[in-house]
């Protein structure tokens, strides 16, 4: 029997293959490659071959993004809740969307945003002066339920009625769940849309009241230069997690792309790029 994360990583890749998300078309171009870039095709092919992708037509663009978000969410659901010994709590992992009742303002750190939204919705002048950069919509979120006094005092009497009237974790205080992590899933980084992840991250940092959640990006982009455009620098995104970093490194080494090898080395040694297998353990921090 494989360790939990080894098994989950294998299942993650199997889901990408079985869903038709990671494929190679009849021209030999992988579904996550940029067909106009020979380097992108070569690296993506190396990854696809190592993951045993089959030949078939790739999924339409918008569908690819939604499928990748769903598969990423499932991977986190298969791993993070099982790490109660490292990060106990009552956890929920959900994929956000326009139809989902859970919004950023559903959480303790951001509940004031609903009030701001209602103000600006009915006041055009106020909306023009404030803008709407405080409205953030992550792809996948992890949030924690508040805890009862019985739970807090289960091992040791920690609180009573004389203290702790404002802490977010205490259920009796009537607060909302606590946003623990925001995960942006990017199947590829073909355009400036990939930089939306940075904009979302800055919005979460600037507009919070309380603790900043983990803010990460998961991607299947094969080109190290495009990954670097989002990964380099600090202050917004915690880290980028690649869907198959080990296979990416092997593919780049196999084709002898020296610039890409050096860039990957910088990103990995600088703790700006990690494998998907690292994500759940990092989320326990």
């Amino acid at each position: 029997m494989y360790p939990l994360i080894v098994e989950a990583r294998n299942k993650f890749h199997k889901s990408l293959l079985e869903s038709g998300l990671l494929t190679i078309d009849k021209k030999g171009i992988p579904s996550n490659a940029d067909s106009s870039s020979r380097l992108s095709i070569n690296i993506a092919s190396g990854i696809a071959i190592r993951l045993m992708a089959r030949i078939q037509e790739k999924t339409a663009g918008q569908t690819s993004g939604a499928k990748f978000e769903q598969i990423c969410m499932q991977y986190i659901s298969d791993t993070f809740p099982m790490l109660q010994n490292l990060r106990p709590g009552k956890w929920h992992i959900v994929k956000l969307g326009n139809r989902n009742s859970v919004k950023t303002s559903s959480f303790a750190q951001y509940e004031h945003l609903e009030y701001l939204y209602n103000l600006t919705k009915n006041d055009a002048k106020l909306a023009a002066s404030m803008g709407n950069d405080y409205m953030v919509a992550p792809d996948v979120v992890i949030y924690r339920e508040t805890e009862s006094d019985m739970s807090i005092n289960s091992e040791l009497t920690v609180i009573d009625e004389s203290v702790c009237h404002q802490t977010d974790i205490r259920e009796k205080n009537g607060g909302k769940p606590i946003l623990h992590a925001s995960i942006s899933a990017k199947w590829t980084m073909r355009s400036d849309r990939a930089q939306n992840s940075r904009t979302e991250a800055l919005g979460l940092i600037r507009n919070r009241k309380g603790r900043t959640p983990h803010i990460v990006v998961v991607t299947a982009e094969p080109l190290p230069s495009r990954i670097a455009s989002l990964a380099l620098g600090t202050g917004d995104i915690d880290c980028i997690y690649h869907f198959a970093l080990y296979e990416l490194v092997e593919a780049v080494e196999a084709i002898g792309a020296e610039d890409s090898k050096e860039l990957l080395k910088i990103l990995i040694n600088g703790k700006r790029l990690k494998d998907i297998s690292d994500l759940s353990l990092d989320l326990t921090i």
Side-chain angles (χ1 to χ4, degrees), residues 107-152:
F107 308 114
Q109 305 101 302
Y110 302 99
E111 60 181 322
H112 60 287
L113 297 185
E114 184 70 23
Y115 175 70
L116 286 177
Y117 171 74
N118 289 329
L119 282 179
T120 56
K121 183 174 66 173
N122 299 315
D123 190 326
K125 289 183 178 180
L126 186 60
S129 63
M130 289 189 64
N132 62 355
D133 63 343
Y134 56 85
M135 298 302 292
V136 181
D139 296 325
V140 178
V141 297
I142 302 175
Y143 65 92
R144 181 179 182 173
E145 289 183 20
T146 53
E147 298 284 350
S148 68
D149 284 13
M150 183 180 294
S151 175
I152 294 170

Side-chain angles (χ1 to χ4, degrees), residues 270-285:
K271 297 185 177 182
R272 303 305 297 143
L273 180 64
K274 298 183 182 182
D275 183 69
I276 185 69
S277 60
D278 295 305
L279 177 56
S280 293
L281 283 172
D282 280 355
L283 290 173
T284 67
I285 298 170

Side-chain angles (χ1 to χ4, degrees), residues 32-223:
N32 61 328
D34 182 348
S35 59
S36 65
S37 168
R38 176 49 56 185
L39 181 60
S40 176
I41 293 170
N42 288 342
I43 295 174
S45 295
I47 297 170
I49 290 169
R50 285 167 173 78
L51 296 179
M52 295 183 289
R54 55 179 181 258
I55 297 175
Q56 68 180 71
E57 292 306 310
K58 70 177 181 179
T59 308
Q62 287 186 333
T63 306
S64 296
K67 281 186 178 180
F68 190 55
E69 290 170 14
Q70 183 66 37
I71 294 170
C72 287
M73 185 198 75
Q74 188 58 54
Y75 171 78
I76 297 166
S77 298
D78 289 342
T79 54
F80 180 71
M82 305 298 290
L83 305 176
Q84 289 284 322
N85 60 317
L86 298 176
R87 192 61 139 138
K90 300 173 185 175
W91 302 102
H92 296 269
I93 301 163
V94 298
K95 178 177 175 291
L96 297 191
N98 294 332
R99 297 181 181 180
N100 198 312
S101 60
V102 179
K103 307 294 181 185
T104 311
S105 56
S106 301
F107 308 114
Q109 305 101 302
Y110 302 99
E111 60 181 322
H112 60 287
L113 297 185
E114 184 70 23
Y115 175 70
L116 286 177
Y117 171 74
N118 289 329
L119 282 179
T120 56
K121 183 174 66 173
N122 299 315
D123 190 326
K125 289 183 178 180
L126 186 60
S129 63
M130 289 189 64
N132 62 355
D133 63 343
Y134 56 85
M135 298 302 292
V136 181
D139 296 325
V140 178
V141 297
I142 302 175
Y143 65 92
R144 181 179 182 173
E145 289 183 20
T146 53
E147 298 284 350
S148 68
D149 284 13
M150 183 180 294
S151 175
I152 294 170
N153 290 328
S154 61
E155 302 292 329
L156 172 74
T157 301
V158 177
I159 57 175
D160 62 18
E161 292 303 321
S162 67
V163 293
C164 302
H165 300 300
Q166 293 178 296
T167 178
D168 290 330
I169 195 69
R170 191 179 187 184
E171 182 181 73
K172 184 170 282 189
N173 291 341
K176 293 189 175 184
I178 301 158
L179 183 62
H180 179 70
S182 166
I183 298 112
S184 179
K186 299 294 182 187
W187 177 237
T188 59
M189 295 182 179
R190 293 292 173 273
S191 68
D192 291 341
R193 284 184 300 174
Q195 296 298 323
N196 288 350
S197 299
R198 177 165 280 133
T199 302
E200 289 176 2
L202 290 172
L204 288 169
I205 293 166
R206 291 170 179 164
N207 296 307
R208 78 193 189 284
K209 287 186 177 181
R211 178 187 176 279
T212 305
H214 287 278
I215 304 171
V216 305
V217 177
V218 180
T219 187
E221 173 58 49
L223 275 178

Side-chain angles (χ1 to χ4, degrees), residues 218-280:
V218 180
T219 187
E221 173 58 49
L223 275 178
S225 59
R226 288 182 178 162
I227 297 171
S229 70
L230 192 58
L232 287 177
T234 56
D236 40 35
I237 295 164
D238 295 0
C239 187
I240 290 185
Y241 295 82
H242 197 268
F243 88 124
L245 182 60
Y246 310 143
E247 292 80 3
L248 170 63
V249 170
E250 289 177 4
V252 169
E253 289 179 348
I255 64 175
E258 293 301 324
D259 288 348
S260 294
K261 282 172 62 177
E262 184 61 27
L263 193 48
L264 278 179
K265 183 179 179 181
I266 291 169
L267 293 174
I268 294 168
N269 291 345
K271 297 185 177 182
R272 303 305 297 143
L273 180 64
K274 298 183 182 182
D275 183 69
I276 185 69
S277 60
D278 295 305
L279 177 56
S280 293

